[in-house]
Amino acid sequence: RPPGSTLFPYTTLFRSRRLEADMGAPGAGLIVPISPTFQAEINGRPASNTTLALFRGMVPCSAIEPHANTYLMLRFPSAMQTRNWTDFESGFELYTATPQAMENLRHVILAIMRSASACVAPRDFARLSGAMQETLLAALDDVLGRENATRAPHPSFEHYRKMVARLDELVVEATSTPLYSDNLASSLGVSVRTLQTATRVVQGMTLHQYLRLKRLWL
């Protein structure tokens, strides 16, 4: 574990998973896919095995994983705005790297984990940790440098999230009356198609499925 950073490898335990939580770190956080078949949606935006999610600060996230993934979460104590990585003040962005750059990054990460696990004494780790950190940062520079990283498309997830939150309020208010998509869309001032898109982007299911599930939980 390089000084000032933490590495957390995660493997999902289920065929699919939904996660709603505040993601990120007080400084900067990075999600690196390890599985060659990595597939997920983060705040309605598709992520693959060549996509990195860069966070600055804590961000409300809704993640949908259609199958088991292995990924790594890397947290930094600073915002990491001095390394020529693409800049933004807060929130998160998705970046697409070349397959070769991602393969090199994964190789570096696994090599660091192997080396760290072989350190049986604190002084051994202290002797190697500086080199580990520099190697890791250099690999991240190759992937996230402004001349290398491509920002992924950014749909209006926040707009959809607020729409679904208002939909939830309407469902709670109408616990004993039928729910019709036309009436709900009219109450929200949007079209049925837009409301259907919002529930699919934010909740990963159709409007009908979501309404049934919401009422079941109520």
Side-chain angles (χ1 to χ4, degrees):
R1 186 173 66 182
S5 66
T6 52
L7 291 167
F8 297 96
Y10 285 93
T11 303
T12 59
L13 302 179
F14 307 100
R15 181 183 300 273
S16 60
R17 185 173 79 158
R18 289 183 51 83
L19 172 66
E20 293 190 10
D22 289 340
M23 299 283 287
L30 191 67
I31 294 180
V32 182
I34 302 299
S35 305
T37 58
F38 184 95
Q39 185 181 5
E41 283 191 6
I42 304 175
N43 285 4
R45 301 164 65 181
S48 70
N49 67 332
T50 58
T51 306
L52 292 96
L54 176 61
F55 294 82
R56 287 197 170 102
M58 303 301 292
V59 184
C61 282
S62 174
I64 302 170
E65 298 176 86
H67 57 73
N69 289 315
T70 302
Y71 55 93
L72 176 137
M73 296 183 68
L74 175 62
R75 294 173 177 168
F76 296 95
S78 76
M80 301 302 288
Q81 291 181 305
T82 61
R83 300 196 66 90
N84 195 40
W85 297 357
T86 183
D87 282 337
F88 56 92
E89 291 300 319
S90 61
F92 93 104
E93 290 290 347
L94 298 181
Y95 298 92
T96 301
T98 65
Q100 185 59 55
M102 285 298 299
E103 186 62 29
N104 292 341
L105 176 59
R106 293 188 189 100
H107 176 78
V108 167
I109 288 170
L110 295 176
I112 287 175
M113 288 183 170
R114 283 193 295 267
S115 297
S117 66
C119 293
V120 295
R123 63 177 180 274
D124 293 334
F125 183 81
R127 179 172 53 84
L128 295 174
S129 61
M132 291 180 184
Q133 177 170 283
E134 285 305 308
T135 302
L136 176 60
L137 291 176
L140 291 173
D141 288 343
D142 288 341
V143 175
L144 287 172
R146 295 182 188 179
E147 65 278 7
N148 300 328
T150 302
R151 186 172 297 191
H154 195 314
S156 302
F157 180 83
E158 185 62 21
H159 174 67
Y160 289 147
R161 187 188 67 79
K162 292 178 180 178
M163 189 183 304
V164 172
R166 177 59 184 140
L167 173 64
D168 290 345
E169 295 174 359
L170 294 177
V171 174
V172 172
E173 293 169 0
T175 53
S176 59
T177 58
L179 295 175
Y180 300 107
S181 56
D182 286 338
N183 294 340
L184 290 170
S186 178
S187 297
L188 294 172
V190 299
S191 67
V192 173
R193 181 177 180 180
T194 298
L195 185 56
Q196 290 172 337
T197 300
T199 54
R200 186 173 293 278
V201 167
V202 176
Q203 299 295 343
M205 62 186 76
T206 67
L207 175 61
H208 179 66
Q209 290 172 327
Y210 182 61
L211 291 175
R212 286 202 318 172
L213 184 63
K214 190 72 177 176
R215 282 214 143 164
L216 174 64
W217 280 109
L218 289 173

